[in-house]
Short mmCIF file of all heavy atoms in Angstrom, two decimals:
data_model
loop_
_atom_site.label_atom_id
_atom_site.label_comp_id
_atom_site.label_asym_id
_atom_site.label_seq_id
_atom_site.Cartn_x
_atom_site.Cartn_y
_atom_site.Cartn_z
N LYS A 368 -20.70 6.00 -6.93
CA LYS A 368 -21.24 4.65 -6.72
C LYS A 368 -20.19 3.84 -5.98
O LYS A 368 -19.07 3.67 -6.46
CB LYS A 368 -21.56 3.99 -8.07
CG LYS A 368 -21.85 2.48 -7.97
CD LYS A 368 -22.17 1.85 -9.34
CE LYS A 368 -22.26 0.32 -9.26
NZ LYS A 368 -22.56 -0.32 -10.55
N ASP A 373 -20.27 -6.55 -6.48
CA ASP A 373 -21.52 -6.69 -7.25
C ASP A 373 -21.60 -8.10 -7.84
O ASP A 373 -21.03 -8.38 -8.89
CB ASP A 373 -21.55 -5.63 -8.36
CG ASP A 373 -22.82 -5.73 -9.21
OD1 ASP A 373 -23.77 -6.41 -8.76
OD2 ASP A 373 -22.85 -5.12 -10.29
N GLY A 375 -24.40 -9.18 -8.75
CA GLY A 375 -25.62 -9.10 -9.55
C GLY A 375 -26.86 -9.34 -8.68
O GLY A 375 -27.97 -9.04 -9.09
N LYS A 380 -24.65 -12.68 -11.73
CA LYS A 380 -23.71 -12.59 -12.85
C LYS A 380 -23.07 -13.96 -13.11
O LYS A 380 -22.96 -14.76 -12.18
CB LYS A 380 -22.59 -11.60 -12.51
CG LYS A 380 -22.99 -10.13 -12.55
CD LYS A 380 -21.79 -9.26 -12.23
CE LYS A 380 -22.15 -7.78 -12.23
NZ LYS A 380 -22.64 -7.28 -13.52
N ASP A 391 -16.26 -2.36 -8.28
CA ASP A 391 -17.51 -1.69 -8.66
C ASP A 391 -17.78 -0.48 -7.75
O ASP A 391 -18.83 0.13 -7.83
CB ASP A 391 -18.67 -2.70 -8.60
CG ASP A 391 -19.83 -2.30 -9.50
OD1 ASP A 391 -19.63 -1.47 -10.40
OD2 ASP A 391 -20.95 -2.81 -9.26
N ASN A 423 -23.85 -5.98 -3.13
CA ASN A 423 -25.00 -6.57 -3.84
C ASN A 423 -24.85 -8.09 -3.86
O ASN A 423 -24.06 -8.63 -4.62
CB ASN A 423 -25.04 -6.01 -5.27
CG ASN A 423 -26.30 -6.39 -6.03
OD1 ASN A 423 -27.32 -6.74 -5.43
ND2 ASN A 423 -26.23 -6.32 -7.36
N THR A 449 -31.91 -7.17 -10.69
CA THR A 449 -31.21 -6.75 -9.47
C THR A 449 -29.74 -6.42 -9.74
O THR A 449 -29.06 -5.89 -8.87
CB THR A 449 -31.28 -7.83 -8.37
OG1 THR A 449 -30.58 -9.01 -8.82
CG2 THR A 449 -32.73 -8.20 -8.04
N ASP A 450 -29.29 -6.73 -10.97
CA ASP A 450 -27.91 -6.39 -11.35
C ASP A 450 -27.80 -4.94 -11.82
O ASP A 450 -26.70 -4.43 -12.00
CB ASP A 450 -27.42 -7.36 -12.43
CG ASP A 450 -25.91 -7.35 -12.60
OD1 ASP A 450 -25.23 -6.78 -11.72
OD2 ASP A 450 -25.42 -7.93 -13.58
N ALA A 451 -28.92 -4.29 -12.06
CA ALA A 451 -28.87 -2.85 -12.37
C ALA A 451 -29.03 -2.10 -11.05
O ALA A 451 -30.01 -1.39 -10.81
CB ALA A 451 -29.97 -2.49 -13.36
N GLU A 452 -28.03 -2.32 -10.16
CA GLU A 452 -28.14 -1.84 -8.78
C GLU A 452 -27.51 -0.48 -8.56
O GLU A 452 -27.92 0.26 -7.66
CB GLU A 452 -27.49 -2.87 -7.83
CG GLU A 452 -25.97 -2.76 -7.63
CD GLU A 452 -25.16 -2.99 -8.91
OE1 GLU A 452 -25.70 -3.60 -9.85
OE2 GLU A 452 -24.00 -2.55 -8.97
MN1 LIG B 762 -24.70 -4.83 -11.38
#
Side-chain angles (χ1 to χ4, degrees):
K368 168 180 172 181
D373 180 15
K380 286 182 181 298
D391 204 18
N423 188 21
T449 65
D450 197 12
E452 85 297 339

